[in-house]
Amino acid sequence: MNELYEKLASCYDEMVDIRRYLHQHPELSFQEVKTPQYIAKYHRQLGHEVREGVGGRGVLATLKGEAGEGPTVALRADFDALPIQDLKDVPYKSTVPNVMHACGHDAHTSLLLVLAKALNSMKKSLKGTVVFIHQHAEELAPGGAKPMIDDGCLENVDVIFGTHLWATTPIGTIEYNEGPLMAAADRFEIIVHGKGGHGAQPHMTKDAILIGSQIVQSLQHIVSRRVDPMESAVISIGAFEAKNAFNVIADSARLEGTVRTFDEKIQAQVKENIAEVVHGVADSFGAKADFHYYKGYPAVINHSDKAQFLQRVASQSKNIEQVIHATPQMGGEDFSYYLKHKKGAFFFTGAQHPDWETTYPHHHPRFDIDERAMLHGATVLGNLVLNTFENET
């Protein structure tokens, strides 16, 4: 494992250069063109088998060890950006207006590319196969993971690992969980059909704004009074639209929100409860309402044995100061699909710079990372590969 670390450390400057290049040239989900071309070219120069256009815009690269047959380990990194204006004052600021790597996918890609280079240089001693999954469109449902799986990216894979650099976790920290790590992320839409009218004659109307407001209030009772307090759930309204003149009572209103859960039974219950509230409140006002529910990514649930394996490997990895249980996050991640098909584990790699006065969270226009975290993430992922090849799982 020390050999791998030394190889990665010697390429750290290249890792930073790749990350900063990608940061300056971000591409939105399902619109990635140059990024997958860049990735494919890098792997081809290493002599890897490469498939482009996997599941749409994904890239699949394969490294076969030359020391004999062994397990096949998949490593995944995403590479899409977000529709956010980069407000950082740094030399590597995004050059694309209103598009930015505000979640670290540029760093995920960079660390996986350099790890591929390091493992390639060790291929004569590798007993097994490494599949590098470079995934498009993680940020936008339905996401890139499922179509890549449908297109065969997990064929013959025995185990899969992935990491997310976490800007609010101190550098040198690895966070994992033996079960749920990230939540299922669903979306819903409510359309209230009332009866508009003059603001001076509310008794002649069915006020869609009032009805919508009552729905918002009532939805908050679901988690507090209808969901088992030992379970986790979130219901949040993010949009409420009913624009009119100041003296006009709205005849319709549109609400949009999200549901976050870990358990599929709770997910189904919350969906049913929301429908009951929406139609019940609308009926009580003599109005109607449409309710549409869209399932997003499933919850990221690690396989216990692979998470325990991850904990052991990370604890023995150089420059990792602490390996701790993560508090499950209510954010979503389509790595969940891979774990539904293959055993594996997903983990957070701390990327908070100790000297920065302010740490900006993911999806913030001033988001940034301590780039040394890339070396940490690559080291742990690489060590997971080597230890799997040595049958220490």
Side-chain angles (χ1 to χ4, degrees):
M1 295 199 299
N2 285 336
E3 179 186 1
L4 174 65
Y5 176 81
E6 294 304 325
K7 289 179 179 294
L8 289 170
S10 69
C11 296
Y12 175 69
D13 289 343
E14 179 185 7
M15 201 180 289
V16 171
D17 289 343
I18 293 172
R19 184 257 169 166
R20 294 188 177 190
Y21 169 79
L22 294 174
H23 199 86
Q24 288 181 288
H25 303 90
E27 294 181 306
L28 293 173
S29 307
F30 297 107
Q31 299 178 36
E32 308 96 335
V33 177
K34 294 184 178 179
T35 306
Q37 291 174 350
Y38 180 96
I39 292 167
K41 180 180 179 180
Y42 191 96
H43 279 287
R44 285 199 174 96
Q45 289 175 338
L46 294 174
H48 296 164
E49 296 178 12
V50 176
R51 279 184 61 202
E52 295 183 74
V54 181
R57 299 177 185 270
V59 180
L60 200 65
T62 303
L63 165 63
K64 294 183 178 180
E66 298 177 355
E69 295 296 323
T72 296
V73 182
L75 304 175
R76 175 270 207 169
D78 39 20
F79 58 76
D80 56 324
L82 286 155
I84 297 173
Q85 178 63 42
D86 193 349
L87 298 182
K88 296 190 303 299
D89 183 18
V90 293
Y92 49 89
K93 180 178 180 177
S94 172
T95 61
V96 183
N98 301 313
V99 182
M100 173 192 175
H101 275 293
C103 203
H105 296 187
D106 50 344
H108 299 166
T109 300
S110 178
L111 73 85
L112 193 60
L113 289 176
V114 174
L115 174 57
K117 181 178 182 178
L119 290 172
N120 180 276
S121 70
M122 302 169 63
K123 64 183 177 182
K124 290 185 178 180
S125 63
L126 297 184
K127 192 175 182 179
T129 300
V130 188
V131 175
F132 303 96
I133 299 174
H134 292 274
Q135 184 201 309
H136 61 299
E138 187 279 329
E139 294 288 4
L140 184 63
K146 192 173 186 300
M148 288 193 72
I149 293 168
D150 293 342
D151 201 8
C153 76
L154 292 180
E155 187 175 344
N156 300 320
V157 167
D158 297 300
V159 62
I160 184 167
F161 297 104
T163 190
H164 200 307
L165 301 193
W166 214 247
T168 54
T169 296
I171 188 81
T173 301
I174 298 295
E175 293 184 313
Y176 78 104
N177 203 306
E178 295 173 358
L181 184 69
M182 301 185 79
D186 300 338
R187 179 174 69 88
F188 63 86
E189 182 183 45
I190 301 164
I191 307 295
V192 177
H193 302 284
K195 180 182 177 182
H198 199 290
Q201 298 176 316
H203 62 292
M204 302 292 289
T205 71
K206 297 174 182 178
D207 188 343
I209 291 179
L210 178 61
I211 298 168
S213 299
Q214 187 64 50
I215 288 173
V216 173
Q217 291 286 340
S218 299
L219 289 179
Q220 305 313 306
H221 299 160
I222 292 175
V223 173
S224 66
R225 287 296 178 268
R226 302 186 71 173
V227 174
D228 184 336
M230 299 305 292
E231 300 289 349
S232 296
V234 168
I235 302 174
S236 295
I237 299 294
F240 192 145
E241 302 171 346
K243 188 173 182 179
N244 274 306
F246 77 96
N247 60 346
V248 175
I249 290 176
D251 63 350
S252 67
R254 175 182 173 273
L255 295 80
E256 194 170 13
T258 186
V259 171
R260 305 296 170 112
T261 55
F262 291 106
D263 185 274
E264 290 182 354
K265 291 182 179 179
I266 298 299
Q267 180 187 43
Q269 176 197 328
V270 169
K271 175 185 175 182
E272 181 180 342
N273 292 161
I274 294 175
E276 291 172 353
V277 166
V278 169
H279 296 306
V281 170
D283 286 347
S284 72
F285 282 89
K288 299 293 183 182
D290 300 327
F291 173 59
H292 305 285
Y293 194 93
Y294 309 96
K295 280 192 174 183
Y297 304 151
V300 176
I301 301 178
N302 285 334
H303 295 265
S304 180
D305 58 335
K306 298 307 176 186
Q308 291 170 10
F309 173 58
L310 160 66
Q311 188 275 334
R312 295 195 301 270
V313 171
S315 297
Q316 298 167 8
S317 296
K318 194 165 184 178
N319 281 354
I320 301 303
E321 298 174 7
Q322 58 179 346
V323 181
I324 60 177
H325 270 98
T327 300
Q329 301 287 330
M330 282 300 185
E333 237 286 357
D334 69 351
F335 192 87
S336 54
Y337 288 114
Y338 301 110
L339 295 177
K340 281 183 169 289
H341 287 79
K342 299 290 180 178
K343 277 199 166 187
F346 193 65
F347 62 96
F348 299 135
T349 299
Q352 182 182 45
H353 199 294
D355 298 331
W356 289 348
E357 183 176 342
T358 302
T359 297
Y360 294 99
H362 297 256
H363 294 210
H364 190 281
R366 297 187 186 276
F367 170 86
D368 208 350
I369 60 166
D370 186 330
E371 291 172 319
R372 294 172 297 176
M374 294 188 292
L375 181 57
H376 298 166
T379 298
V380 174
L381 286 174
N383 287 342
L384 287 167
V385 171
L386 297 180
N387 278 268
T388 300
F389 287 171
E390 294 168 6
N391 297 315
E392 294 184 4
T393 59

